[in-house]
Structures are given as structure tokens and as C-alpha cells.
Amino acid sequence: MKTFGVITSIGMVVVLIQGVLVTQTGSGDACGAEWPLCLGQIFPESPTIQTLIEYTHRVVSGLLGMMVISLAIWSWKKLSHIRETRFFAIVAILFIVFQGLLGAAAVVWGQSDAIMALHFGFSLISLTSVVLLTCLAFENNISKLLVRPTMSRAMANYIYFVLVYVYFVVYTGAYVKHTESSAACVGWPLCNGQIIPSLSDPQIAVQFGHRVAAASLFIVILAWYIQLWRNYRGQKLLHYVGLISLLFITTQVISGAVVVFSGYTLAASMFHAIFISLLFTVVSYGALLAFRSNQE
């Protein structure tokens, strides 16, 4: 189960990267307005590069969907004695299904940018639920004292806030992509040479809003880690979660600058998406620790 969980987690990262690739290359319509068929065929003939990108994303997503469902059922049977297993198993199945249905609806009927931005968020929740199920498998044979830290209710609530805020920043980033607002702000950290640019252009407003949200997230996580350093250094697991989160958000901010200075290249954008995904996953585990602390 541990091995299968790790493989499935890696596979979900691949699906997430493929989704970014589809968006970045504008390949979402490359199979026509059809689903699950591609250009009216099970295996498209003489496909273009964009068609291959979209078709491969569909195939890998379908395969990983079956793997996620298998892991959820397997965990439900073997780890039912762990309190959180059934919740994460249900979430894993629900969101992998939501993700597929939203993708299919976007192909067949089209969706607004606001709705399409949720697609990345659903992928992120699917990834996180799979990773957390895998974590439960690894936790099964170790002392409960190591995975149930003690913390104040205020600290637990702050971790919940961080998790929600990370998801909000993820959504704003996805919205930037789907509204094609990435290049609306020239330069970094200033936007078009200004601390606060004119927001009359909707694309500038969207891009600048994302930058403000991302900068605020760095401050939020830095404040979180400072509190962990002062008051919870003895809680090793909790402390490491905060430290890794700080490292990831720092890398995320730097990667955002690289995206701008590199001219919004595909590699830089994919790197940017990977680290925000890892950050959300780590903070989610922190929220799990907070939940356990409150239960105890």
C-alpha cells in the first residue's frame, strides 16, 4: 500500500503538470468539442503536437483516476482503524471525479475563466488527499505520540487559516492563466514600474491582485514559522512542517520572479505550479496535525 500510494502520488503530480502544459500551450480544444473521444476517434490519426498533449493528458488522467479509486478502497479496508482514513478516501474519489467531469464539461460546452480556474484547485485537492492517504499508511506502524503534537487552539486555527489562504492564492494564480493576464505586469516586484499600478485594465488588476495575495502569503507563513520556532520547537513534526512550508513559499516567490524574467516560459511556469502544489500538500498535513491536537 505504501509503494502504491507513493506511485499514485507521483502520478497525480504528473497529471497536474500535464494540466499546466495543456493550459500553457492552449491545447484544451485540440481534440475538438468531444469527450471521451478525440476528433471523433479513440486513437486520433495524424495528431498535431497540441492534440497529443491533450490526448495524453486525458489518458493519464483516466489511468490515475482508477489508481486513486483503488487506493481509496484499499485504504478504507486496511486502515479503517485510523480516524481520518475514510474522510480522505471519500475526498480522493469525489474530487478525482469532479476533476474529470469539469474537464469534460469544459471541452464539450466550454466554461467561464472563473470556473476553469477551479480545475487546477480540484487537481490539487485530489493530489493532497492521495498524499495524505499515503501518509496514513506510513504512520500506521509508528508511535501515535509522534504524529499527534500538542498545540493551542489558536495555533490550530491559524494553520486552518493558512491552508484556506494557500488555496485562495492557488485560485488567483489559475485565474491569471485562464484570463491570459500573465504578461499584464511588466517587471518584478513592481508592476509596470509602479508600486500600485492603474487597475483600470482588468488583466492588470487580476495579475496585480495575484501578486499581492502571493506576497501576503509569504508574510503569513513567515509569521507562522516564527511562532513555531518560539513555542513549538520541541514538537519536531509540527516544526518541520512549518519549516518546509517556509522553504516552499520562498521558492514559490522566487519562481514567480523567474517566470516574469524568463518571459513566461513553459518550464518556469510548470516549476511555479509544482511548488505551490507541494506547499498546499504540506500545509494540509499541518492541518491534519492541528485537527488531531484538537481531538486530543
Side-chain angles (χ1 to χ4, degrees):
M1 184 186 294
K2 294 174 184 176
T3 302
F4 186 72
V6 170
I7 293 173
T8 306
S9 298
I10 294 173
M12 288 301 297
V13 174
V14 172
V15 169
L16 190 144
I17 293 173
Q18 284 185 314
V20 175
L21 181 61
V22 168
T23 302
Q24 285 289 109
T25 58
S27 303
D29 299 324
C31 278
E34 302 175 60
W35 190 91
L37 298 179
C38 181
L39 301 176
Q41 301 170 313
I42 298 178
F43 303 102
E45 298 177 0
S46 303
T48 64
I49 295 297
Q50 288 184 317
T51 301
L52 282 176
I53 291 173
E54 170 65 9
Y55 181 75
T56 304
H57 179 52
R58 291 187 185 187
V59 172
V60 175
S61 296
L63 174 62
L64 262 297
M66 291 185 287
M67 292 177 67
V68 169
I69 293 173
S70 299
L71 177 65
I73 295 174
W74 194 355
S75 301
W76 187 292
K77 291 183 176 179
K78 296 296 184 179
L79 300 174
S80 58
H81 57 284
I82 300 178
R83 178 185 301 160
E84 303 88 5
T85 301
R86 294 184 178 182
F87 173 75
F88 290 134
I90 292 172
V91 170
I93 293 176
L94 284 180
F95 277 89
I96 200 69
V97 172
F98 287 162
Q99 178 186 346
L101 292 177
L102 183 58
V107 169
V108 177
W109 298 297
Q111 295 289 343
S112 67
D113 293 329
I115 297 298
M116 283 306 302
L118 289 173
H119 192 50
F120 185 81
F122 283 0
S123 300
L124 200 52
I125 294 176
S126 296
L127 166 65
T128 300
S129 60
V130 168
V131 171
L132 292 180
L133 282 175
T134 304
C135 288
L136 294 183
F138 278 94
E139 288 181 357
N140 189 47
N141 298 322
I142 64 177
S143 172
K144 289 185 178 181
L145 295 177
L146 295 177
V147 296
R148 294 185 182 278
T150 302
M151 70 181 78
S152 67
R153 182 167 293 277
M155 174 55 68
N157 290 337
Y158 192 82
I159 295 175
Y160 298 149
F161 164 72
V162 173
L163 179 63
V164 173
Y165 194 63
V166 172
Y167 192 82
F168 170 73
V169 174
V170 168
Y171 179 82
T172 63
Y175 192 64
V176 166
K177 292 295 182 184
H178 285 286
T179 56
E180 299 181 351
S181 303
S182 298
C185 282
V186 177
W188 188 94
L190 299 180
C191 178
N192 299 327
Q194 299 173 305
I195 297 177
I196 302 178
S198 172
L199 303 179
S200 57
D201 185 332
Q203 289 188 318
I204 293 178
V206 169
Q207 172 64 286
F208 183 70
H210 174 61
R211 289 191 179 191
V212 171
S216 301
L217 179 60
F218 176 81
I219 296 172
V220 165
I221 291 181
L222 177 61
W224 176 33
Y225 179 69
I226 291 173
Q227 289 301 313
L228 291 178
W229 173 259
R230 288 177 175 175
N231 303 312
Y232 295 94
R233 273 180 289 176
Q235 306 280 350
K236 295 297 184 182
L237 185 57
L238 180 61
H239 179 254
Y240 287 142
V241 167
L243 177 60
I244 294 171
S245 298
L246 181 60
L247 292 175
F248 280 164
I249 188 59
T250 302
T251 305
Q252 180 69 8
V253 170
I254 294 172
S255 71
V258 171
V259 168
V260 175
F261 293 132
S262 66
Y264 307 95
T265 61
L266 179 60
S269 298
M270 293 175 70
F271 186 80
H272 193 59
I274 289 172
F275 269 90
I276 195 64
S277 303
L278 294 177
L279 173 63
F280 182 79
T281 303
V282 172
V283 176
S284 294
Y285 187 72
L288 173 60
L289 297 179
F291 171 77
R292 288 171 172 171
S293 176
N294 285 338
Q295 293 301 306
E296 292 302 317

